[in-house]
Amino acid sequence: MNRTVLLTGFEPFNKETVNPAWEAVRSLAGHEGEGYRVEVRQLPCVFGVAGEVLRAAIGEVKPAVVIAVGQAGGRVDLSVERIAINIDDAPIPDNAQCQLVDKPVVEGGPAAYFSTLPIKAIVARLREAGLPASVSQSAGTFVCNHVFYSLMHQMAGGDVRAGFIHIPYLPQQAAAHPGAPSMALAEVVRGLTIALEAALATGDDIRVAGGAVD
Amino acid sequence: MNRTVLLTGFEPFNKETVNPAWEAVRSLAGHEGEGYRVEVRQLPCVFGVAGEVLRAAIGEVKPAVVIAVGQAGGRVDLSVERIAINIDDAPIPDNAQCQLVDKPVVEGGPAAYFSTLPIKAIVARLREAGLPASVSQSAGTFVCNHVFYSLMHQMAGGDVRAGFIHIPYLPQQAAAHPGAPSMALAEVVRGLTIALEAALATGDDIRVAGGAVD
Amino acid sequence: MNRTVLLTGFEPFNKETVNPAWEAVRSLAGHEGEGYRVEVRQLPCVFGVAGEVLRAAIGEVKPAVVIAVGQAGGRVDLSVERIAINIDDAPIPDNAQCQLVDKPVVEGGPAAYFSTLPIKAIVARLREAGLPASVSQSAGTFVCNHVFYSLMHQMAGGDVRAGFIHIPYLPQQAAAHPGAPSMALAEVVRGLTIALEAALATGDDIRVAGGAVD
Amino acid sequence: MNRTVLLTGFEPFNKETVNPAWEAVRSLAGHEGEGYRVEVRQLPCVFGVAGEVLRAAIGEVKPAVVIAVGQAGGRVDLSVERIAINIDDAPIPDNAQCQLVDKPVVEGGPAAYFSTLPIKAIVARLREAGLPASVSQSAGTFVCNHVFYSLMHQMAGGDVRAGFIHIPYLPQQAAAHPGAPSMALAEVVRGLTIALEAALATGDDIRVAGGAVD
């Protein structure tokens, strides 16, 4: 029996007309690999609502693995997030023009959740496949972290592997942001496929350094 | 009766011969301001031991505020850390030649603790005083984060305000690291004084944006 | 009658096993477009010899346009160089283990030559095509600048358009240099094609800002 | 007989209310060291006029050394410029609201002039003194480069040493530009003093690497 992998990507935000996360994720809709099938959902870039849409999708899809994907304009690589924190502190308004400051994602929730993806194994496989990748120690405090925290809170205590991957701008976006790095869509799609297969195939994560001095 | 503020700085690490955190902190030893007095301690850059030395100092000093200070080579400003996470993942060995990978700081501890310093008020006051400052969403996963987490774990549930501030290289260090930013010692000392006085003077933290998109 | 475009790329250097410039350039060998044909040559990453190989190629090919292409590890986009300067000042040894310091490329030559490519039109077309691109004010002082200066010195006073484009690491290279940006080979090849066609099609360059404050 | 060193700094530009170059330079007005005396002038941040003011100052002061100093917001260190290029290509308007694009600084002038300061010796002395410093391969294409080129054109063929040094934001400026590095005024002043004394004391420049790969 095939396992289902749920991938989510956001709608465009912050004046962009495209979101590379959604472009990559939707190109994997219905994709079938060895022993798995991919379901995809688009999330609104809106505090609160994004988490609810995700919750509904999880209830419907009953995934074995969930990877939420988000745009990180300015980053250079596939950034596998380590930890989601219980704070909304938005430097810009979300798509509903709401700019939360220092509100918990979940009132009374724990300060943070660690990703349950095998983040070190994913980074190792991505690099072996010739794709720039790293562990990231912060997913920020905007809607990406909000969804990541909501996801981990929903999955807490269960055995569904879940986590978040940030990706760079597409080249076409970077063309309008001189100085910003980018990654081609095909590379991102290839990377997400490697990541989800690593999540399915890995038992305990490998033990290799992936931290930061500061 | 004067309240005591405990400031800590690390010994040099990673081939440096000086640690700007300790240089700044020790210059404030015995400093007295309105209603407070500063005690300082040097911490070894060693997993585990650093937290024990800090614990002993807290027991001895009985501070009203604790600010641990650490060098962040490559950063540009006074970075007021928001959150300490329960992981040791060292990209380099510590000063006892130990390189922990993916070990919890405190076995069974919560995933993270938020700083109980008024981080937004501190950043606002620093900027008003003409000093570059920002809220940081990650203190890394090396001995700085280790001490920060240990500190917050020790203080959990009490009413002692505690937190961590990362500071740039000194100019003399940056002279040996072409491309690295720096901050003059006098500016750092001035900044720490502003930070600790803000911690003493502020009730609830102010509500202004200080987050990151990703 | 078809015009010939000469593209050059370097052999790998600085411990890399691949040079993205040569990978991109060689994939265009023999490429024919409307009214032009591409010839390619690999250049050694060696002061002096690189210029001689280029001179011989120009004598043989009799190109209408020459674009030398080089790897710029750490850059984010297709960097169209504005100016070549008459200095060799190598931060690392070349592939013949020679590390020239403050020697002129051409004894008695002028201090610099401006590119005769329509650099602003090239950048504009690249961005329109969704590729990150910018004008660069410095090609460095290593073998890339050396070849660029040699090229412009050889072409001085003639009507052959010539210049230099720096390109980022390939993703596979960046996978081994955490933190480094990259560009997919297909994007680079598409970009070079756009650049050479712009060089053939443009008369006077367009007049749009492409400078730097400092 | 004392030799005169002419230092220039610009008025504020680009919405700043202070220019660190002028702040540093003016604090050295009338400074006397062993065998020299400093004269200072403020230059308008205006294409054309800046060069004329500089020319008049040189005629009046008859300096042995001229160092023009300019703000480089975003740079981390004392950047000793290697070369001035014959192009005005302004990404922002100057203080007379003029935004030149691809105009030569001097019609018919050479493409570039190398600094005649001992740039390597200056960088070496600055680093020995614990100040972050580097050789820069580009002074940009705005009014700083314009003045630098004008200066070298005026001095061409003579024996007056002349050049340009870019400096970072002051801390108070960086406080308003989160993410920007800075340098304390006292460090900049100390650095300029070291630089001008190196210019007076050095014969042929030292031969050490100070270039860039790209």
Coordinates of all heavy atoms in Angstrom, one line a residue, chain B residues 86 104 106-113 149 153:
Chain B
N86 N 17.1 23.7 22.8 CA 17.6 22.6 23.5 C 18.4 21.7 22.7 O 18.1 20.5 22.5 CB 16.5 21.9 24.3 CG 17.0 20.9 25.3 OD1 18.2 21.0 25.7 ND2 16.2 20.0 25.7
P104 N 20.9 17.1 23.4 CA 20.1 18.1 24.1 C 21.0 18.8 25.2 O 21.9 18.2 25.7 CB 19.0 17.4 24.8 CG 19.4 16.0 24.9 CD 20.3 15.7 23.7
V106 N 19.8 20.0 27.9 CA 19.3 19.4 29.2 C 18.4 18.3 28.7 O 17.3 18.5 28.1 CB 18.4 20.5 30.0 CG1 17.8 19.8 31.2 CG2 19.3 21.6 30.4
E107 N 18.8 17.1 29.1 CA 18.0 15.9 28.7 C 16.6 16.0 29.3 O 16.4 16.3 30.5 CB 18.7 14.6 29.3 CG 18.1 13.3 28.9 CD 18.5 13.0 27.4 OE1 19.7 13.2 27.1 OE2 17.6 12.7 26.6
G108 N 15.6 15.9 28.5 CA 14.2 16.0 28.9 C 13.7 17.4 29.1 O 12.6 17.7 29.5
G109 N 14.6 18.4 28.8 CA 14.1 19.8 28.9 C 13.2 20.2 27.8 O 13.1 19.5 26.8
P110 N 12.5 21.3 27.9 CA 11.7 21.8 26.8 C 12.5 22.2 25.6 O 13.7 22.4 25.7 CB 11.0 23.0 27.4 CG 11.8 23.4 28.6 CD 12.5 22.2 29.1
A111 N 11.8 22.2 24.5 CA 12.6 22.4 23.2 C 13.3 23.8 23.2 O 14.3 23.9 22.6 CB 11.6 22.3 22.0
A112 N 12.7 24.8 23.9 CA 13.3 26.1 23.9 C 12.8 26.9 25.0 O 11.8 26.6 25.7 CB 12.9 26.8 22.6
Y113 N 13.5 28.0 25.3 CA 13.0 29.0 26.2 C 13.2 30.4 25.6 O 14.2 30.7 24.9 CB 13.9 29.1 27.5 CG 13.7 27.9 28.5 CD1 14.6 26.9 28.5 CD2 12.6 27.9 29.3 CE1 14.5 25.9 29.4 CE2 12.5 26.9 30.2 CZ 13.4 25.9 30.3 OH 13.2 24.8 31.2
Y149 N 20.6 28.6 27.0 CA 19.6 27.6 27.4 C 19.7 27.2 28.9 O 18.8 27.2 29.6 CB 19.6 26.4 26.5 CG 18.5 25.4 26.7 CD1 17.3 25.5 26.0 CD2 18.6 24.5 27.8 CE1 16.2 24.6 26.3 CE2 17.5 23.6 28.1 CZ 16.3 23.7 27.3 OH 15.3 22.8 27.6
H153 N 17.0 27.7 31.7 CA 16.5 26.5 32.4 C 16.6 26.7 33.9 O 15.7 26.4 34.7 CB 17.2 25.3 31.9 CG 16.6 24.0 32.4 ND1 15.4 23.5 31.9 CD2 17.1 23.1 33.3 CE1 15.2 22.4 32.5 NE2 16.2 22.1 33.3

